[in-house]
Amino acid sequence: MPEKNVGDEDVKAAIERTDTGDGPGTDNLDDLPESDYVGEDDAAPGQHATATIPYDCPVANFIDQLSATGHVTHTPYKKTSVTLHHNAGRLSHQDVLDVWTVRPASAHFDVDAAGAVAQYVKVHEYAWAVGNMVGNQSSISIEMANATLAPDWTVDDATWKNAARLAGWLFAEVIGERPSGSNLFYHHHWSSTVCAGPYMDRIYDEVLAAAQAAYDHFKDTHPAFRPDAEPVPVEHRH
C-alpha cells in the first residue's frame, strides 16, 4: 500500500508548486465579486457556524477554518458542473488546509487517501480553485489526494471512486443534471495545468461512469438539496 501521508515534505512541495493553475481566477483580487458573507460572531469556541452538506457519509468540516484564510469569495452562483483536481501531494485533509492557508487557493471538497470526504467551501460559493473566473463561478471543485507523485500523479481507487460518488451526489442534489463529458471536468479544462494528472486522464471514462451510477442512485432516493438554503445549526442562526 502507498504511504498515506508523509506530512511536512508533501505540504512544502505542494505550496511551492507554481504550475497548478488554481487561484481566484483573476490577477487582481479587487476584481473579485464583493462578498456577501456575514460572520457568525456568536458561535461558541470549537463549534462550527456553517454546516456541511447533508451527504450520506461523514463529511469533515473545515468550512470556517478555510473562510478564516480569506481565500474564498462568499458570493453564491448557480453551479452547472463539477471539476476534479489532484492535491499534487499525498495530503491529509489538514495538510490541504495548511497549503491553502499559505497559497491563495481553495476548493469545495477534498477526498483523502482512504476515501474520506472533507468540505472547505459551501457548494454554491466561489472557491479559488480553477484559475478561471467563469469556472470558479459555475463549478464545484473536488480535490483528491495522490498515491504517488510526478510524473504520473496516481490516485488510489478509494480516493477517485469516492470523489466520483460525491460528484454524483452533487449532480443529483445541487446541479440537477446527469454527469456527462460536458459537465464533469478535470482542472485542465479551465486553465493551463496538468491537473488532475496523467493517470486520471487515462481513467476518465471510468470516473464518469462511476459518477453517473452515483447520480442514478441518488436522484430518486434523496430529497432535493437547495444550495441557497444550506443548513446552519439552529443555535447559530440570527
Side-chain angles (χ1 to χ4, degrees):
M1 292 287 292
E3 191 171 7
K4 295 301 182 189
N5 176 30
V6 296
D8 291 346
E9 288 185 12
D10 274 24
V11 171
K12 183 174 184 291
I15 290 171
E16 291 176 349
R17 290 196 72 222
T18 59
D19 60 342
T20 59
D22 54 13
T26 174
D27 292 332
N28 183 356
L29 298 187
D30 291 335
D31 290 339
L32 287 169
E34 184 176 352
S35 176
D36 63 359
Y37 178 69
V38 177
E40 299 285 350
D41 295 331
D42 60 347
Q47 290 185 322
H48 293 292
T50 308
T52 60
I53 58 169
Y55 195 41
D56 67 341
C57 297
V59 179
N61 193 334
F62 288 83
I63 298 172
D64 296 329
Q65 294 176 70
L66 188 282
S67 182
T69 70
H71 298 160
V72 58
T73 302
H74 297 288
T75 302
Y77 291 92
K78 176 176 173 57
K79 299 298 181 177
T80 57
S81 67
V82 172
T83 300
L84 301 180
H85 308 244
H86 72 95
N87 287 170
R90 296 160 293 190
L91 305 183
S92 68
H93 294 322
Q94 182 62 50
D95 290 339
V96 170
L97 179 66
D98 291 345
V99 171
W100 290 338
T101 299
V102 177
R103 174 187 288 164
S106 57
H108 298 84
F109 297 95
D110 179 60
V111 181
D112 71 10
V117 176
Q119 184 171 358
Y120 299 81
V121 175
K122 292 172 70 174
V123 292
H124 59 285
E125 292 185 341
Y126 184 114
W128 297 8
V130 304
N132 177 290
M133 184 169 285
V134 172
N136 284 334
Q137 289 172 343
S138 63
S139 201
I140 301 171
S141 282
I142 303 173
E143 290 274 350
M144 298 179 292
N146 291 100
T148 64
L149 304 182
D152 220 22
W153 301 111
T154 62
V155 176
D156 274 347
D157 285 0
T159 303
W160 74 256
K161 287 182 179 179
N162 279 289
R165 185 179 191 275
L166 174 61
W169 187 94
L170 292 166
F171 277 108
E173 307 297 343
V174 179
I175 296 170
E177 294 183 8
R178 196 169 193 263
S180 70
S182 298
N183 58 22
L184 179 62
F185 303 126
Y186 289 155
H187 185 177
H188 58 63
H189 171 83
W190 299 108
S191 56
S192 180
T193 173
V194 300
C195 183
Y199 175 75
M200 293 304 300
D201 284 343
R202 291 197 297 270
I203 65 168
Y204 175 82
D205 289 347
E206 294 177 64
V207 176
L208 176 58
Q212 290 172 333
Y215 170 87
D216 292 342
H217 167 74
F218 285 120
K219 69 182 180 69
D220 295 323
T221 59
H222 290 255
F225 168 60
R226 292 179 55 228
D228 60 337
E230 208 151 356
V232 176
V234 170
E235 62 270 22
H236 299 316
R237 291 177 182 158
H238 290 300

